Amino acid sequence: MNEISWLSIALGFLGGFGLFLFGMEYMGEGLQKAAGSKMKNLLGVLTNNRFLGVLVGAGITALIQSSSATTVMVVGFVNAGLMSLAQAVGVIMGANIGTTITAWIVALGEWTSFLKPSVLAPLCIVLGVVMTMFAKKQHIKHIGQIVFGFGALFLGLDMMSQAAKPLETLEEVKSLFVVLGDNPLLGILVGALVTAIIQSSSASVGILQALATAALVPWNSAIYIILGQNIGTCITAILSSIGASKNAKRAAMIHFLFNFIGSVVFAIIAFISFKLLVPNLGAVSIEVTQISIVHTVFNVVNTILLFPFAGVLVYLAERIISGGEEELEGELQHLDERIIETPSFAVENAVKEVVRMGNLAEQNVKTAMEALLEKKENKIEEVYKREKIINQLQHGINHYLVKLSNSPISEKEHSIITGLFHTVSDIERVGDHAENIAELAEILIKDDLSLSEIAHQELQEIYEAAVSCFELSLQAHEFGDKTIAKKAMPLEQQVDRLEETFRSRHIKRLAENKCSSVSGVVFLDTISNLERISDHASNIAMTILDENKSLTTEEMTFSV
């Protein structure tokens, strides 16, 4: 075979593989869009019932056509605190079963001539293009995307198969697969490396099936390569867990342990079978459908075998990645970019993170007032330190919200995100006012000044009303409750009245020389800051009451 033929084969195979990958990705994206909120509903049924987790994992993977993507999603959910490790085990097991759907799609061509890639590919591509370009309903366009993805996948498969046909006559290629079949470790290593490089077991199984159409792959090498492919697919989740929480790393480790243990057990069984029980089968060429069967049997049986030992997998992952979680207040605890793939979850967690930021701001107001009323210098430093954390969270949350707003979300979710942009800004301003109060406390302590008893009582009264208003506004956001939001509004009006009354009284005290001018300025500035805090609390409550508030692109850009 001359050099030009080798180049032709390489280009044909690589081009086909590129189309196959594109088709698989495009089809999965269409399926996910068509599924919409059903993704959230599927994961919403997760409890500590591991069996449900297996079904959900299989269902989601069948939808998005990638166990790697599902596992990465699981890592993101665990990292964001949406899912426990116990729940993650079942989903990971199910994901391995769901990923076999691609192999069965590829195998369709062996069943009847109508389902051959060369026949189905052009039909699906034409139909998909027509539906995508001319359909008015979004749902029909999504179905068109799925159909077009099928066509591209089949076209890529047909190109790979055609490119591999000339290799049928080459004894060197057949000998290579014989070597892989005779050496289980080498076969597993090749399968793992190829899958790790392309980061998709579905795609690497598709390559194997394309080579099988040219009768190049014997049974023994196919099985060892498939086992390696199941190990190699873990690399995506492992890479995804870098920089994530320890529990997220443990979820990736569970995925690896599950596939590694299963592959080792099956490799031993296969080795014994080919050497002692059915030695002649090892050299027989495997068919495309038989690869699908082997791939499915491995994942189903592996799940059945290891399902009762899910707790052991969690224990091993915790032992390998030891230590507790170190919660850093300045880091985003509920947000993870991996879960933007399921926007409904991402929006829910964005609300949680904003409320957490609000709780820190509330804590800072209380600490600042404690520093002022009780003249505690150590509390002032605590306020300054926490204010830096609040500013960090503002930047991180806004960055996340911008990304989330650019993902495919519903009108309601867009409205929630718009409200969150405003709320984050208001919370940050509350933090600024807490810092202002801490600075006023610093003046009192530095100049050794005191406030009168009546001033103390008035500050306590307006402070309690302002904090209650802020607490209710945060609760309204946390639960999306308009009733709670409405309760915050009268408190804001009460703070306004108190601020006006106390200001008049204090100016009168100053005129009568009942307190020093510096103490008087501290008092007046403090009630002014508390009044502004209640105003921001009112704004936060209004984002729940006024769901149609819009946010301009300029505001979104500026807030980041």
Side-chain angles (χ1 to χ4, degrees), residues 350-360 397 420 423 427 474-475 477-479:
V351 172
K352 288 181 185 177
E353 194 64 29
V354 170
V355 170
R356 187 175 82 86
M357 178 187 172
N359 290 333
L360 287 173
I397 292 170
L420 289 177
T423 299
I427 290 172
L474 290 179
Q475 286 176 24
H477 244 285
E478 185 174 4
F479 303 109

Side-chain angles (χ1 to χ4, degrees), residues 239-255:
L239 291 173
S240 172
S241 70
I242 295 171
S245 68
K246 286 187 177 178
N247 265 350
K249 289 183 175 73
R250 287 166 186 155
M253 180 56 65
I254 288 169
H255 186 219

Side-chain angles (χ1 to χ4, degrees), residues 372 375 440-449 451 519 522:
L372 181 80
K375 296 175 74 173
L440 293 169
E442 200 169 11
I443 292 170
L444 281 183
I445 295 168
K446 184 181 177 183
D447 295 347
D448 195 23
L449 299 170
L451 295 169
S519 296
V522 168

Side-chain angles (χ1 to χ4, degrees), residues 126-187:
V126 170
L127 183 60
V129 167
V130 169
M131 292 173 76
T132 305
M133 290 185 68
F134 300 108
K136 293 183 179 179
K137 292 184 178 178
Q138 202 64 34
H139 186 68
I140 303 298
K141 286 181 179 288
H142 293 159
I143 294 172
Q145 183 175 341
I146 297 166
V147 174
F148 182 85
F150 263 113
L153 185 151
F154 282 125
L155 183 60
L157 178 67
D158 190 49
M159 285 177 67
M160 285 194 290
S161 301
Q162 293 301 321
K165 272 193 175 180
L167 301 176
E168 287 177 330
T169 57
L170 282 182
E171 289 301 321
E172 294 89 342
V173 176
K174 291 184 178 180
S175 299
L176 175 62
F177 280 102
V178 169
V179 170
L180 296 178
D182 288 338
N183 191 327
L185 289 177
L186 191 60

Side-chain angles (χ1 to χ4, degrees), residues 365-396:
V365 173
K366 291 178 178 178
T367 305
M369 285 302 295
E370 192 178 345
L372 181 80
L373 295 172
E374 300 177 23
K375 296 175 74 173
K376 290 184 176 179
E377 198 166 357
N378 62 316
K379 295 291 180 181
I380 295 170
E381 195 56 43
E382 192 180 318
V383 171
Y384 293 156
K385 188 177 177 181
R386 194 176 291 118
E387 172 60 13
K388 289 179 182 177
I389 292 170
I390 292 167
N391 289 337
Q392 277 180 261
L393 289 178
Q394 181 201 22
H395 179 79

